[in-house]
Amino acid sequence: MKNAAHIFVKEFKGYFISPIAYIVISLFLILSGWFFFSTFFLFNQAELRSFFSLLPVMFSFVIPAVTMRLFSEEFNTGSFELLSTMPVSSAEIIIGKFLAAFSFVVLMLIPTLSYGIFISFMGDLDIGPWIGGYAGAMLIGAAFSAIGLFASSLTRNQIIAFIVGMTICIVTTLVDKMLFFLPEAALSVFQFLGADFHFQNISRGILDSRDVLYFLSVCFVMLYLTHLVIQEKK
Amino acid sequence: MRRALNLTRYYRFIMYAIVVVLVNVAGATLFFRVDLTSSRVYSLSRASREAVATLSEPLTIKVFFTGNLPAPYNNIERYLGDLLQEYAVAGNRYFNYEFFNVSSDGDERARQNQEAARNYGVFPVQIQKIEQDEMKFQTAHMGMVFIHGDIIETIPTITSTEGLEFQVTSTIRKMNNKISALLSLKENISVKLFLSSSLEVVAPYMNLAGLSDLPGETEKLVSRLNEKNYGRLAFSHLDPSRDADGRREAEGHNILSLRWEEFKDRKGRTIPADSGYAGIIVGHGDRREEIPLIRVVRIPVFGTQYLLAEMEELEGDIENTIENIIDVNEKTGYLADHGTHPLETTQGAFGQPGTEPLSRFGSLLSAEYTVTPVKIKEEGIPEGIRSLIIAGPREPFTDYDLYQIDQFLMKGRNLAIFLDPFEESAPQGGMAMGGGPAASRPIETGLEKLLAHYGITVKKSYIMDENCFKQSISRAFGGGERPIYFAPIIKSEFINNDVPFLKNIKGLIMLKASPVEIEDEKIKKAGLKAEKLFSSSERSWEMAEGINQNPLFMQPPTQEDAYRQMAIAYTLEGPFPSYFADRPVPVKEEETEGEGTAGKGAADKAKGGVTPTLLTTAETIEKGKPGKIFLIGTSEILKNNVMDDEGRSPNAQFIMNVIDYANDREDNAVMRTKAQRFNPLMDVGPATRTFVKTANIVGLPVIVVIAGLFVWFRRKSRKRMVQEMFGKA
């Protein structure tokens, strides 16, 4: 795991060398702040529900943008061949890169804690759903990071990696909203596959083992698929 | 070889994927939940857990739900499944539930389930769905049936998860409470008849025919009731005239005692002075409740009349008292005379609608309680109701009416009083016709003096508040908002959330409310506990004279000292001192002479010629058992324009919580409001709002950009330093 830690540090630092990280975080904060606070005082309720309900859709765009370069850039510049010759397993590479992306998502969420802090001065904010919301945000962030990483492992083109990652994320986010159009027999299966369905439960303040299990399963399946793709590339 | 290795990888992945799916499938049935909300919104309440843990007979819940419904109905099924699973965990071996798929795919089993649902009264409802780019309707079953012994209850349609736990628990309690409570008693409920044999001598002179048959009749009655009460009633008859223990016990309780001086009977024989007791005590553990056998009524002209309880009346009283003793009484009294608001639409003169009814409040109330209309003037307050709701009385109470209310409270019963300070009458011709403002006349019912004796009063004024409901004005009239000062908005910080039944109420709206004041000295002296429930804001003032409720003519006072915070509602709890403790029992004013028992008494008196001088003691309870009073200076908040149909608004939930409080069911109130989502912000000015928005929308990204620039400059300077180092070299 030492190698994974090295890769994690390198990738995480790599985010902040270029202006991309700051641009992505700033855009995320502008959008989430605008969507949340534009109606916040109209609803006049001391809660963060509308912020958390926005997160899955926003993450569907932001996280693939964060993860698109992780493998694609390596394939494109040829540095992946160099990495392959080093005494490091593909699992360590994947875990290192995944943790870097996940840590970046957590870092991106940290400034939004100020929303809750401001609201707690203006009303009686229930801490439970606040904690639950962030726990859910980290779980969905981890799942989408794994999806983005898988998308990045498929191609050397970052734009394609972004589009593939975004498509998978948006489909898993919106699948439970599209149940109208799906055959009746498959409704419960598709609903279970919906990331937003599981996220909304946690963001309401219920930490349910089924939802946690779902996000961990998505992480595992996606990271394993990435592992298969990397093995193929090696 | 390499290809085989590749295939092995994929096979392994497929195996792992299958394991993941199986783990999720298993996890769907074996799961745990942690409720992080402060009010435990998603966890079973104590009341719910108790309801299923104390089942003494099998309770089966059958859920008829059409499978694979479109959103949002599919979530209801999952929520219901989770909820019932939690009930099953908390419940004992008698709790069972089962889901029946009532899909419309023509399957034989589904058809049978549809038939079963129909038989139980669960009928399909129409819901919208999109199919092939078209909006279509689908029929769906979404109901549940509760089967407990011979009792069947149905919730025919569940269209929302909101308040579902409350609904389910209320239904279970309604079905199971009495049976469970009776079967789980460690000892029998005693029904003791205290009847002195000495009374038989004076019974004919008191118009008490059949007094000697009473022990036998009562015993028969109790054995009949025992069949319905699982044999948990133990009857005994004590004769305090012959039994010293019985006498001591009778003296210890508040049983009617009669004393008479020596007198001569109709045959001229001397009847010595004596005394006797008459009453029933129903008790279990340390709880005791008294049922009077003889009612003493003083009627002008006719004098004192003694009325012996009828057997049917006694049966109802014993049943209600048993329910009180074991805490399952769901009967609440509603004062239906003295000009109170009717719960249902009434016909006025010439077919015109009568007084404005409280129909929404009435339907919410009757959904949870058996509402007993109480007509004090005609019938008095029946035994066995735990609370009496008095909503906006307009007519004066006689002293005898007040006496009954006072004694009702002394018995440890509770009052929920909504008192209006003024009666408004529309001016002749109305305001539109230039008739001027509505006239307001102070209401004096007499209830005020009773309440003042207990240490609580409603002032004869209206609370006006700058923090109030704002009415939108249409553009045709200039637009903007008009403050309605007599509709104060009660902010969260002015609501006493330490009171359990107000725990999750974070905002209310009042209407034409009056200040409620307490006398600390009196309350302390009586050993009562007063609790202020909520107040107006600091920017409120009183309108006591020249009442004019036209918003156009309302102006806040210019003097700052006119503004003060005022209490709007209070509760008082404890052993109340009787208003009639050192007063004679009031005379009952009969409206029609020569009717009923009074008439008979008079006739009897006329032909009897001889009447013993009777003195009754223990007739008035001077210091009561712990009781409760809820008092608010308005009944407007019970009206349909404030209450909502479903009872989900904070106001409606508050009112229903008050009724729960008055019926000693505060756990019910806590359960009702735990999912209350109304959580308004404090009042913040436009400057604060702008600051919060700017700080979060612009401030945070700016900080990130500054951090980025800082890193960039640092890197640049480091680069320059390295270049300089190597440049020097």
Side-chain angles (χ1 to χ4, degrees):
Chain A
M1 280 297 116
K2 211 182 208 177
N3 294 329
H6 282 305
I7 291 167
F8 160 69
V9 170
K10 179 218 165 242
E11 290 293 349
F12 191 66
K13 274 185 174 175
Y15 276 122
F16 298 96
I17 289 166
S18 70
I20 290 289
Y22 305 102
I23 293 167
V24 167
I25 294 175
S26 300
L27 271 175
F28 169 74
L29 291 173
I30 289 167
L31 289 173
S32 64
W34 173 255
F35 283 123
F36 177 56
F37 280 102
S38 59
T39 56
F40 176 71
F41 288 107
L42 289 174
F43 290 133
N44 198 40
Q45 295 293 302
E47 61 178 24
L48 283 150
R49 259 194 192 202
S50 55
F51 164 65
F52 288 124
S53 64
L54 285 170
L55 269 187
V57 174
M58 290 185 67
F59 274 3
S60 301
F61 293 94
V62 173
I63 294 176
V66 170
T67 56
M68 65 187 184
R69 55 170 279 276
L70 287 171
F71 278 113
S72 301
E73 199 178 41
E74 303 249 26
F75 297 148
N76 199 29
T77 56
S79 60
F80 184 72
E81 280 78 3
L82 196 67
L83 192 64
S84 306
T85 57
M86 289 180 176
V88 49
S89 69
S90 61
E92 285 172 328
I93 297 168
I94 291 162
I95 287 166
K97 285 178 181 286
F98 167 73
L99 288 176
F102 174 64
S103 302
F104 183 86
V105 171
V106 172
L107 193 78
M108 196 167 63
L109 280 170
I110 286 170
T112 65
L113 288 170
S114 80
Y115 301 174
I117 293 163
F118 273 100
I119 293 167
S120 62
F121 282 112
M122 293 186 293
D124 184 15
L125 180 71
D126 191 350
I127 304 293
W130 192 18
I131 294 167
Y134 279 100
M138 287 199 283
L139 284 167
I140 201 168
F144 283 9
S145 298
I147 291 168
L149 197 65
F150 166 67
S152 181
S153 71
L154 295 173
T155 174
R156 60 176 52 230
N157 186 323
Q158 287 190 37
I159 304 297
I160 293 171
F162 169 75
I163 291 166
V164 171
M166 187 197 70
T167 307
I168 300 171
C169 288
I170 208 86
V171 166
T172 52
T173 298
L174 299 178
V175 69
D176 66 314
K177 312 282 184 294
M178 302 293 170
L179 297 177
F180 277 119
F181 306 104
L182 296 169
E184 272 188 19
L187 279 184
S188 52
V189 174
F190 278 103
Q191 187 188 44
F192 188 82
L193 290 175
D196 191 41
F197 167 73
H198 294 281
F199 172 71
Q200 293 306 341
N201 283 333
I202 300 177
S203 69
R204 280 207 306 262
I206 327 161
L207 205 57
D208 191 318
S209 61
R210 290 168 294 183
D211 301 321
V212 175
L213 198 59
Y214 163 83
F215 286 117
L216 296 178
S217 302
V218 171
C219 286
F220 174 78
V221 169
M222 286 297 162
L223 293 177
Y224 200 86
L225 280 172
T226 312
H227 171 71
L228 287 180
V229 173
I230 297 299
Q231 288 291 316
E232 283 293 323
K233 297 232 185 238
K234 271 185 171 181
Chain B
M1 179 74 189
R2 199 177 152 184
R3 204 172 149 196
L5 197 73
N6 280 353
L7 282 174
T8 310
R9 269 191 221 135
Y10 287 106
Y11 289 145
R12 194 181 294 161
F13 169 70
I14 291 163
M15 288 299 292
Y16 283 150
I18 289 168
V19 169
V20 166
V21 170
L22 290 175
V23 165
N24 276 276
V25 169
T29 48
L30 296 164
F31 65 92
F32 68 86
R33 284 154 52 121
V34 181
D35 188 349
L36 302 169
T37 56
S38 60
S39 52
R40 298 283 169 270
V41 176
Y42 305 103
S43 308
L44 278 193
S45 314
R46 194 173 54 87
S48 301
R49 287 199 299 272
E50 271 176 20
V52 285
T54 57
L55 287 170
S56 50
E57 278 192 346
L59 172 88
T60 306
I61 297 178
K62 293 185 174 185
V63 183
F64 292 97
F65 229 94
T66 302
N68 299 324
L69 288 177
Y73 306 106
N74 51 358
N75 291 335
I76 298 173
E77 192 178 4
R78 174 182 162 162
Y79 177 84
L80 197 54
D82 293 351
L83 187 70
L84 291 177
Q85 186 142 6
E86 286 207 42
Y87 275 106
V89 170
N92 59 17
R93 63 198 170 96
Y94 292 117
F95 182 83
N96 302 289
Y97 74 94
E98 198 177 347
F99 272 76
F100 293 87
N101 186 6
V102 202
S103 59
S104 50
D105 54 9
D107 174 52
E108 183 54 36
R109 176 162 288 190
R111 254 204 306 274
Q112 285 172 359
N113 290 343
Q114 280 179 31
E115 186 64 34
R118 233 192 330 272
N119 292 340
Y120 284 122
V122 176
F123 296 103
V125 288
Q126 284 209 320
I127 56 166
Q128 282 185 343
K129 67 169 184 177
I130 296 171
E131 208 173 79
Q132 292 162 349
D133 294 345
E134 282 181 24
M135 184 71 80
K136 289 186 177 177
F137 286 98
Q138 177 188 349
T139 56
H141 287 81
M142 294 186 289
M144 58 201 294
V145 179
F146 299 73
I147 302 161
H148 188 51
D150 296 337
I151 315 165
I152 295 174
E153 289 277 344
T154 307
I155 300 177
T157 314
I158 304 160
T159 52
S160 163
T161 57
E162 213 170 305
L164 197 52
E165 187 204 341
F166 181 78
Q167 226 176 337
V168 170
T169 301
S170 302
T171 310
I172 294 172
R173 275 175 146 191
K174 203 155 71 175
M175 298 170 84
N176 161 67
N177 250 359
K178 193 170 178 181
I179 302 167
S180 288
L182 281 167
L183 291 178
S184 61
L185 291 177
K186 289 183 175 66
E187 56 186 62
N188 284 352
I189 297 166
S190 64
V191 182
K192 289 183 182 177
L193 170 72
F194 292 85
L195 188 66
S196 304
S197 49
S198 58
L199 287 173
E200 286 172 28
V201 180
V202 290
Y205 303 98
M206 296 163 64
N207 194 27
L208 297 175
L211 190 76
S212 52
D213 301 333
L214 204 61
E217 293 286 330
T218 312
E219 190 168 11
K220 273 186 209 161
L221 170 65
V222 172
S223 68
R224 207 167 50 241
L225 285 173
N226 241 336
E227 289 168 19
K228 285 198 273 182
N229 290 282
Y230 297 83
R232 303 314 307 263
L233 308 181
F235 175 77
S236 56
H237 169 215
L238 301 169
D239 182 352
S241 303
R242 293 175 184 162
D243 175 3
D245 288 345
R247 189 181 182 86
R248 263 195 301 277
E249 206 174 332
E251 281 167 358
H253 298 302
N254 206 66
I255 286 181
L256 180 83
S257 96
L258 294 156
R259 280 189 299 111
W260 55 94
E261 303 300 319
E262 187 181 286
F263 70 99
K264 287 196 179 337
D265 71 359
R266 286 166 194 150
K267 290 174 183 169
R269 286 175 303 196
T270 303
I271 306 293
D274 203 350
S275 67
Y277 290 90
I280 290 176
I281 295 286
V282 178
H284 179 265
D286 55 354
R287 292 190 67 169
R288 298 276 176 280
E289 291 214 8
E290 188 244 343
I291 300 170
L293 279 175
I294 298 168
R295 241 173 6 115
V296 185
V297 184
R298 289 178 178 81
I299 299 171
V301 183
F302 297 102
T304 305
Q305 297 294 307
Y306 301 91
L307 310 173
L308 190 64
E310 297 285 336
M311 271 299 141
E312 294 97 47
E313 191 187 331
L314 204 58
E315 185 171 353
D317 286 351
I318 293 173
E319 269 202 287
N320 289 339
T321 309
I322 288 166
E323 287 179 2
N324 269 346
I325 291 271
I326 60 174
D327 274 330
V328 297
N329 194 344
E330 288 173 346
K331 293 181 184 70
T332 188
Y334 184 83
L335 187 68
D337 55 14
H338 291 86
T340 56
H341 299 285
L343 290 175
E344 283 144 16
T345 311
T346 52
Q347 282 293 309
F350 311 111
Q352 295 295 310
T355 321
E356 190 184 342
L358 312 177
S359 54
R360 282 180 177 166
F361 170 60
S363 64
L364 289 173
L365 188 63
S366 49
E368 290 180 44
Y369 291 96
T370 307
V371 184
T372 308
V374 174
K375 293 184 175 175
I376 294 188
K377 281 182 191 174
E378 296 165 29
E379 301 149 10
I381 306 175
E383 288 296 322
I385 57 168
R386 191 170 280 193
S387 67
L388 178 64
I389 303 161
I390 302 173
R394 295 282 184 276
E395 296 162 14
F397 289 79
T398 63
D399 274 357
Y400 186 70
D401 299 337
L402 294 175
Y403 174 74
Q404 291 189 81
I405 293 169
D406 174 88
Q407 291 301 291
F408 176 78
L409 190 62
M410 294 308 119
K411 287 174 184 170
R413 308 282 201 266
N414 311 316
L415 297 171
I417 305 171
F418 302 81
L419 216 53
D420 292 316
F422 300 102
E423 184 168 26
E424 288 165 41
S425 51
Q428 285 297 313
M431 277 196 343
M433 305 283 283
S440 294
R441 180 182 61 83
I443 300 171
E444 289 294 343
T445 60
L447 206 55
E448 297 82 0
K449 64 182 179 189
L450 200 67
L451 292 169
H453 171 79
Y454 305 138
I456 190 163
T457 50
V458 173
K459 286 187 79 181
K460 290 279 180 269
S461 62
Y462 281 129
I463 294 173
M464 302 283 148
D465 200 331
E466 280 186 0
N467 184 50
C468 61
F469 174 75
K470 309 274 192 307
Q471 184 185 33
S472 299
I473 303 164
S474 69
R475 283 191 185 173
F477 293 94
E481 286 182 331
R482 180 185 295 135
I484 308 295
Y485 295 119
F486 56 77
I489 287 173
I490 313 300
K491 292 189 281 185
S492 180
E493 59 261 44
F494 302 133
I495 298 173
N496 182 356
N497 290 127
D498 296 337
V499 175
F501 71 87
L502 289 179
K503 202 177 168 194
N504 277 344
I505 305 281
K506 291 180 178 164
L508 291 167
I509 186 157
M510 287 293 115
L511 200 58
K512 297 177 186 176
S514 304
V516 177
E517 293 181 342
I518 55 164
E519 287 181 65
D520 283 320
E521 201 63 37
K522 239 179 208 179
I523 286 166
K524 221 173 273 178
K525 197 177 160 192
L528 301 173
K529 184 175 154 230
E531 199 84 67
K532 189 200 287 184
L533 299 184
F534 50 86
S535 327
S536 59
S537 78
E538 297 97 336
R539 300 293 299 166
S540 57
W541 69 97
E542 277 182 86
M543 184 192 274
E545 285 164 14
I547 304 286
N548 182 352
Q549 300 214 349
N550 187 334
L552 293 170
F553 300 111
M554 280 188 194
Q555 283 302 324
T558 48
Q559 296 151 311
E560 275 302 307
D561 58 2
Y563 293 96
R564 65 188 182 91
Q565 198 170 25
M566 287 169 270
I568 299 177
Y570 262 102
T571 57
L572 274 187
E573 285 182 35
F576 288 88
S578 173
Y579 177 77
F580 295 91
D582 39 21
R583 288 179 171 89
V585 176
V587 168
K588 184 185 182 190
E589 292 174 15
E590 282 290 311
E591 286 178 12
T592 48
E593 283 189 25
E595 263 188 35
T597 339
K600 271 195 271 173
D604 187 67
K605 198 177 170 185
K607 65 181 180 196
V610 186
T611 312
T613 309
L614 283 157
L615 290 169
T616 55
T617 59
E619 199 182 320
T620 299
I621 309 168
E622 297 187 353
K623 184 81 175 172
K625 291 177 184 173
K628 296 174 188 172
I629 293 177
F630 160 83
L631 179 65
I632 189 166
T634 178
S635 71
E636 295 286 324
I637 53 166
L638 298 173
K639 289 185 176 174
N640 290 354
N641 56 342
V642 181
M643 300 286 278
D644 64 308
D645 274 324
E646 283 94 21
R648 285 185 189 155
S649 68
N651 260 59
Q653 295 208 325
F654 160 69
I655 297 294
M656 289 313 294
N657 283 5
V658 165
I659 306 304
D660 284 339
Y661 164 81
N663 284 280
D664 303 316
R665 290 169 66 178
E666 281 178 86
D667 55 349
N668 222 37
V670 171
M671 181 170 57
R672 177 186 290 106
T673 45
K674 75 173 188 180
Q676 179 60 251
R677 279 188 55 200
F678 183 71
N679 185 12
L681 297 166
M682 287 179 216
D683 271 352
V684 285
T688 310
R689 291 178 187 199
T690 308
F691 169 72
V692 170
K693 279 183 175 182
T694 311
N696 287 290
I697 300 170
V698 181
L700 293 176
V702 164
I703 291 167
V704 172
V705 169
I706 290 167
L709 289 171
F710 175 73
V711 171
W712 183 68
F713 277 117
R714 260 192 65 186
R715 280 181 58 80
K716 213 175 167 185
S717 63
R718 200 161 157 256
K719 249 183 185 174
R720 203 181 303 124
M721 200 178 74
V722 171
Q723 275 174 351
E724 282 172 8
M725 266 173 63
F726 284 95
K728 275 177 190 173

